[in-house]
Amino acid sequence: MTTETAVKPLSAFSYVTFDVVGTLIDFEGAIKDGLAEIAARESREIDGEAALSVYREARYEPEAERFPDDLGRCYSKIAKAFGLPDTEEYRQLMIERVGDAKPFPDSSDAMAMLKARYKLIAMTNARRWAFEKYAEKLGNPFWAGFTTDDTGTEKPDPDYFHQVFAFVEKDGGSKGDILHTAQSQHHDIGVSRALGMTNVWIQRRHAQQGYGGTIAPKSFTEPDYRFDALIDLSKAAESAFRT
């Protein structure tokens, strides 16, 4: 599905900011794979989608830690819900598996195309150690990268965005020159709209029900642009620049 409601064309931007985990990196697949590995060791089966719901609820909790370090704590909740052993070995396994999550199949090619047209800026709620792994798997496409270790906060905190605005201003740009691209309505699309940004929703779960492992928004925000895959955005940008 592709929807474009924005007045501003894709060729009007100089920077594209990205959510990383869930937009470029398939963290849900990594969670499911890690849990399947544990379940196989224990001669058990586990419903991956149901486990994602437990994970999502755990991420709402006030004691939630930075991603992906919080996977150890979240695994304890999942283990209790599905009768799996809650051991330090398995908690660490989940942190490592999600910290080593793979890009979506279209991510690297799409980012290479976008890099030829824009300055790409990562805005991730992951810690720096995990982001560096993700960036390498993507082919290191970023002009700049912000993590929770750098900003001291997490999206949807507006301060995270304001730190990026200030960085862009030092480069001679402005908020209006930025196109914000993300999968999460809760962490990115709603707040970017409230801050007056033009945004793109990459609807990675378009063929699945619910929000999976991502916190559900209090209310849905209609994006300026909507694509099912990142490669669709990159192709649309190419077309805009050639028009």
Side-chain angles (χ1 to χ4, degrees):
M1 179 180 179
T2 299
T3 303
E4 303 178 16
T5 60
V7 174
K8 203 169 185 179
L10 293 172
S11 57
F13 303 95
S14 300
Y15 309 85
V16 181
T17 47
F18 289 91
D19 170 56
V20 176
V21 177
T23 304
L24 308 178
I25 298 294
D26 185 9
F27 84 103
E28 291 186 353
I31 290 175
K32 290 179 180 180
D33 289 347
L35 291 172
E37 181 179 345
I38 292 170
R41 290 187 190 183
E42 301 296 328
S43 299
R44 300 288 298 275
E45 293 184 358
I46 188 167
D47 183 333
E49 280 294 309
L52 285 178
S53 294
V54 177
Y55 167 79
R56 183 181 66 245
E57 291 302 316
R59 290 294 285 163
Y60 281 99
E61 296 172 347
E63 61 269 29
E65 302 168 11
R66 300 299 194 200
F67 181 94
D69 297 4
D70 197 38
L71 262 295
R73 185 188 67 86
C74 292
Y75 172 73
S76 295
K77 306 284 186 179
I78 295 169
K80 182 178 180 180
F82 293 94
L84 293 171
D86 182 12
T87 67
E88 184 58 35
E89 177 188 2
Y90 287 162
R91 292 186 210 118
Q92 188 60 37
L93 182 149
M94 289 301 298
I95 294 171
E96 292 173 358
R97 294 296 181 272
V98 177
D100 203 36
K102 299 176 182 178
F104 289 100
D106 68 326
S107 292
S108 295
D109 288 345
M111 293 296 279
M113 291 175 66
L114 292 167
K115 183 180 179 180
R117 297 293 187 181
Y118 310 97
K119 291 180 177 178
L120 309 184
I121 303 174
M123 293 178 60
T124 180
N125 278 356
R127 297 201 61 194
R128 171 62 60 174
W129 71 264
F131 167 67
E132 290 179 354
K133 286 189 172 188
Y134 300 151
E136 183 176 4
K137 290 176 186 293
L138 290 163
N140 292 310
F142 297 109
W143 176 68
F146 289 79
T147 73
T148 55
D149 291 325
D150 306 312
T151 62
T153 188
E154 294 183 331
K155 300 172 297 177
D157 184 352
D159 184 59
Y160 196 128
F161 289 79
H162 285 297
Q163 291 185 48
V164 175
F165 298 160
F167 180 82
V168 167
E169 287 171 3
K170 290 179 182 178
D171 188 54
S174 68
K175 178 178 68 175
D177 297 320
I178 303 171
L179 179 68
H180 189 60
T181 303
Q183 173 268 340
S184 176
Q185 281 273 330
H186 169 76
H187 297 99
D188 292 273
I189 301 302
V191 63
S192 62
R193 169 56 45 74
L195 292 172
M197 303 178 76
T198 301
N199 57 35
V200 181
W201 185 32
I202 306 299
Q203 194 179 3
R204 288 293 189 185
R205 288 182 59 89
H206 62 275
Q208 299 164 285
Q209 295 292 322
Y211 286 93
T214 302
I215 294 175
K218 292 181 179 179
S219 60
F220 179 83
T221 299
E222 189 63 41
D224 297 300
Y225 291 88
R226 179 191 304 199
F227 301 97
D228 289 346
L230 190 68
I231 197 70
D232 296 331
L233 167 61
S234 65
K235 290 176 180 178
E238 281 298 306
S239 295
F241 277 99
R242 291 173 180 170
T243 300

